[in-house]
Amino acid sequence: MPATPMGMPEATLLELFRRRVAETPSGEASRHTYGRKVVTTTWSDWDRRSRTLAAGLLRLGVELGDRVALLSRTRVEWTWLDMAILMAGGVTVPLFPSETGATCAFVLADCEARFAIVENPAQVRKLLALREQLPRLERVVVLDQECELPQQPQAPDAVLRLADVADEASAGWLVPIEELWDGGERDLGALTGELATRAALVGPDTLATLAYTPGTEREPKGVMLTHGNYFAASDALAQALSVGPEDRQLLYLPLAHVFARITVVVAMQVGLSTAYARSYGTLLDDARLHQPTFLCTIPRLLEKVQGEMEADERMGGGLQRLVSTWARGVGATASQNGDGGGLLRDLQLKVADKLVFSRLRERFGGALRFVISGAAPLPHETGRFFAAHGLPALEGYGMTETCAATSIARLERHRVGTVGPPLPGVEVRLTEDGELLVRGPNVSPGYWERPDETAAAIDADGWFHTGDLCRLEDDEIVVMDRKSDIILLATGRAIAPQPIAEALRAHDLVSQVLIHGEGRSFLSALITLDKDALLRFADEASLDPDYEGLTRHPAVFAAVERLVERVNAQLAPHENIRKFAILSTEPSTETGDLTPTQRLRRRVATERHRALLDSFYSEQY
């Protein structure tokens, strides 16, 4: 079934939501934990809550087309407020909770937001520090009156309260969420007509979101996403994925990222339930509690689980390693051959599942059928590990400009190493130099108030230039590298660094890799180590469990050196990493080395460690 044409009136988020509420009003829309209790919300519950909040936003002064910033971690209230903003005729501007105050101020000023909704006093403090730079920001709605601060030795149980950061000057500027609830409940009846009038003015081409790109190198840009973009992307994903009303997803990814947000819209399309994890740290506990049937994630979680399972097998002794190796061999053959293999293979799979595969599913609650990996490349070794355990990790590809949806691997034709064929209704083609171009109803109309950059990214025929170098294998997309990341050595050799970095990161000990060599005579690398994997290494080698000390330990350096040598052996001589260093600290969003989606900002990291990189080339090698 083709995606609904963009001109159709039902191709809006509001109509999609109305249809879901009408068809399954008592169906489970979401579940979350409140204290120790699991709380479920039906579609009609969600509708009532969002309409109440929408009425509260109208009372606050939100007008048609107003940009309303939403600065919060992923939680069920995020989706209620998002829909409320749309019901009020506003435009949601999501912000990552990990963003710095300066970035938040830039976004709020760039989109000329009159209103912001923030989660807690810690986020309020960011905005208060830069209030003079935000003259157009009229009111800030606050969800929680207090929050816990990161634990510190001198204050392990520190709590930050709104009264600690607010002052007399901000008293009218800050609005407790209770005022929206109370005012909305009181005036919803009187404002129902106004809400209906505003909804009638929303069409497929109406702006729904300004999604600011994290910006691996440059300042953020506001990607305009329309109601029609979201509808088309979610409709195509619903067709491509084998999901239905009986499924439940577990959501922990930041809803500020369009990848996470589109999964909630897919849930509206098919009527499935979304369980909200409390945090990344509690994810596996939440999975055992909510028992999801699928999970959308970034690769690092899958790499972490793979490393933990392999460490458990090493600790379990020779017999356990032997059984696990046999089981994965059976699973790998089955995943490659599909349903073939006959009765003997079926019996082997049952035994392998009981002895090995089930342990992986149990980590995620026992009901998981598949996972979807996006936002960054999935190491091939990790993809093969999950496939061999009978739990396919379907890799998807998309960008903010394509509403996170360009292609996704299919359960019925899953091949590790590809991001699958294009989604229904999406066209792709390659330029002469291999850059992927995308066209379809999911593609953004452009960047907010940046016509020159819009024209540079989207040509006159509607093709969006992704900047990614790809190839097509049997109509499936294989992503090679970012066009801008290609390294040109002083010898004239052009090298794609991403496959080399992925090969190194396939080892659970390695967290991030910066490949360097632009204008140089050879490649070098800066490597950071995964804290959990490094501590496991220390335990097995009876070393002192001090992260910074371990990064300088000869045994750790030797282990990484062996890994580099193994990877070099698979590369052409000019692609070899000839020198490397292990960094003593992990990159983070706070230091600016990582985007909120955990992608390395290569140029930022390069400049930060310029002296160390220069030292690799200070003498003839």
Side-chain angles (χ1 to χ4, degrees):
M1 182 179 71
T4 302
M6 290 290 286
M8 297 290 284
E10 59 265 32
T12 71
L13 288 171
L14 294 179
E15 287 297 331
L16 174 60
F17 184 65
R18 286 195 195 101
R19 187 179 69 193
R20 174 52 49 210
V21 173
E23 290 181 359
T24 55
S26 59
E28 182 180 297
S30 65
R31 54 171 51 204
H32 65 282
T33 54
Y34 185 78
R36 296 184 178 182
K37 182 181 179 182
V38 174
V39 180
T40 60
T41 304
T42 67
W43 292 102
S44 62
D45 290 336
W46 182 355
D47 178 52
R48 177 174 51 80
R49 287 181 168 94
S50 288
R51 283 190 295 108
T52 299
L53 289 165
L57 290 172
L58 262 60
R59 289 184 72 257
L60 199 65
V62 172
E63 298 177 357
L64 278 170
D66 273 348
R67 276 75 64 195
V68 182
L70 189 46
L71 174 58
S72 169
R73 65 181 171 87
T74 291
R75 52 193 285 181
V76 69
E77 294 89 348
W78 201 105
T79 52
W80 299 345
L81 286 159
D82 180 33
M83 186 55 64
I85 293 168
L86 300 178
M87 287 176 170
V91 178
T92 303
V93 184
L95 284 164
F96 289 91
S98 59
E99 290 287 16
T100 64
T103 299
C104 292
F106 171 85
V107 170
L108 290 167
D110 188 69
C111 73
E112 299 181 320
R114 294 176 56 216
F115 304 95
I117 303 171
V118 305
E119 183 172 20
N120 56 41
Q123 303 294 357
V124 170
R125 186 161 57 182
K126 288 182 186 178
L127 301 188
L128 281 173
L130 297 164
R131 188 177 176 184
E132 291 183 359
Q133 301 177 27
L134 302 169
R136 293 183 62 88
L137 188 62
E138 296 177 14
R139 309 294 286 278
V140 175
V141 178
V142 186
L143 300 187
D144 298 334
Q145 297 297 299
E146 63 180 39
C147 63
E148 293 183 3
L149 292 173
Q151 288 191 356
Q152 299 176 0
Q154 65 272 24
D157 300 315
V159 172
L160 182 67
R161 295 175 175 81
L162 190 59
D164 298 331
V165 300
D167 54 28
E168 291 184 7
S170 63
W173 196 58
L174 301 176
V175 181
I177 188 66
E178 289 77 13
E179 288 191 21
L180 254 65
W181 283 117
D182 294 344
E185 287 178 353
R186 184 176 60 252
D187 297 341
L188 178 58
L191 293 172
T192 296
E194 176 63 17
L195 289 173
T197 298
R198 293 192 182 192
L201 296 173
V202 173
D205 296 327
T206 302
L207 186 61
T209 303
L210 276 181
Y212 278 78
T213 58
T216 54
E217 309 303 343
R218 303 173 182 88
E219 68 181 18
K221 294 181 292 187
V223 179
M224 297 185 289
L225 293 173
T226 67
H227 282 258
N229 291 151
Y230 274 105
F231 185 94
S234 63
D235 189 43
L237 281 167
Q239 294 177 53
L241 295 173
S242 302
V243 293
E246 69 283 355
D247 280 295
R248 177 183 298 131
Q249 68 167 323
L250 179 62
L251 186 60
Y252 80 96
L253 295 173
L255 278 163
H257 196 287
V258 69
F259 173 39
R261 199 160 170 228
I262 198 66
T263 68
V264 178
V265 186
V266 170
M268 289 184 209
Q269 284 275 7
V270 302
L272 63 85
S273 174
T274 300
Y276 291 83
R278 289 163 291 176
S279 68
Y280 176 75
T282 66
L283 181 64
L284 295 183
D285 289 336
D286 291 325
R288 286 186 283 270
L289 178 65
H290 297 299
Q291 298 182 323
T293 59
F294 73 98
L295 167 74
C296 294
T297 184
I298 58 176
R300 201 60 193 152
L301 172 68
L302 306 183
E303 296 171 58
K304 178 181 175 66
V305 170
Q306 176 190 3
E308 290 174 349
M309 288 198 66
E310 290 175 339
D312 288 347
E313 290 168 7
R314 289 194 298 270
M315 297 295 289
L319 180 60
Q320 183 172 332
R321 288 197 297 272
L322 185 64
V323 171
S324 297
T325 300
W326 169 82
R328 279 200 290 273
V330 171
T333 302
S335 68
Q336 293 165 6
N337 296 341
D339 295 330
L343 293 176
L344 177 59
R345 179 56 47 78
D346 289 343
L347 178 60
Q348 290 175 327
L349 282 172
K350 287 181 180 179
V351 174
D353 185 81
K354 184 176 181 62
L355 295 178
V356 178
F357 301 165
S358 59
R359 295 205 303 267
L360 178 58
R361 286 198 309 276
E362 287 303 320
R363 285 176 179 258
F364 293 97
L368 208 63
R369 298 191 292 117
F370 62 91
V371 296
I372 299 173
S373 178
L378 178 69
H380 294 177
E381 282 301 314
T382 302
R384 284 191 282 267
F385 178 88
F386 274 78
H389 280 77
L391 188 59
L394 306 179
E395 199 167 1
Y397 169 78
M399 301 176 71
T400 305
E401 291 87 343
T402 65
C403 209
T406 298
S407 67
I408 194 167
R410 310 296 204 267
L411 275 172
E412 64 273 14
R413 54 180 291 190
H414 178 223
R415 290 169 52 199
V416 173
T418 85
V419 293
L423 290 165
V426 177
E427 300 176 80
V428 299
R429 68 180 178 88
L430 300 178
T431 62
E432 289 186 1
D433 64 355
E435 181 182 3
L436 183 72
L437 307 188
V438 181
R439 183 168 67 180
N442 59 316
V443 174
S444 161
Y447 302 107
W448 176 257
E449 302 293 343
R450 299 192 185 209
D452 292 343
E453 294 196 46
T454 296
I458 305 172
D459 64 28
D461 294 323
W463 289 100
F464 169 63
H465 293 242
T466 66
D468 284 323
L469 298 177
C470 302
R471 67 174 189 269
L472 296 175
E473 295 182 358
D474 299 327
D475 296 325
E476 296 197 8
I477 301 169
V478 178
V479 182
M480 305 299 294
D481 216 320
R482 288 293 292 170
K483 191 174 180 178
S484 59
D485 285 348
I486 296 298
I487 293 173
L488 188 65
L489 294 177
T491 60
R493 294 275 198 172
I495 300 173
Q498 182 173 293
I500 304 173
E502 282 182 25
L504 290 167
R505 291 184 67 247
H507 195 288
D508 67 324
L509 195 59
V510 177
S511 171
Q512 295 285 350
V513 179
L514 173 67
I515 306 293
H516 178 70
E518 181 68 30
R520 309 283 198 174
S521 56
F522 59 86
L523 292 184
S524 61
L526 300 180
I527 297 172
T528 59
L529 305 181
D530 180 82
K531 185 174 183 179
D532 292 337
L534 185 57
L535 293 179
R536 287 197 299 269
F537 179 93
D539 183 56
E540 294 173 13
S542 300
L543 301 177
D544 182 29
D546 170 59
Y547 179 86
E548 186 173 346
L550 286 167
T551 61
R552 298 191 296 266
H553 198 284
V556 173
F557 185 89
V560 175
E561 186 175 42
R562 289 192 296 271
L563 173 60
V564 171
E565 290 172 352
R566 288 202 301 270
V567 170
N568 280 344
Q570 306 300 315
L571 300 172
H574 67 277
E575 296 175 319
N576 277 200
I577 296 170
R578 299 193 187 180
K579 292 187 178 182
F580 73 90
I582 300 172
L583 300 179
S584 59
T585 58
E586 293 183 282
S588 67
T589 54
E590 288 75 20
T591 59
D593 296 305
L594 292 182
T595 70
T597 52
Q598 303 300 295
R599 299 194 72 162
L600 189 67
R601 287 189 166 110
R602 294 184 65 251
R603 288 182 176 83
V604 173
T606 297
E607 289 307 314
R608 186 179 178 204
H609 301 287
R610 174 65 65 183
L612 176 57
L613 291 167
D614 286 346
S615 72
F616 292 152
Y617 305 92
S618 60
E619 56 186 52
Q620 188 69 29
Y621 185 80

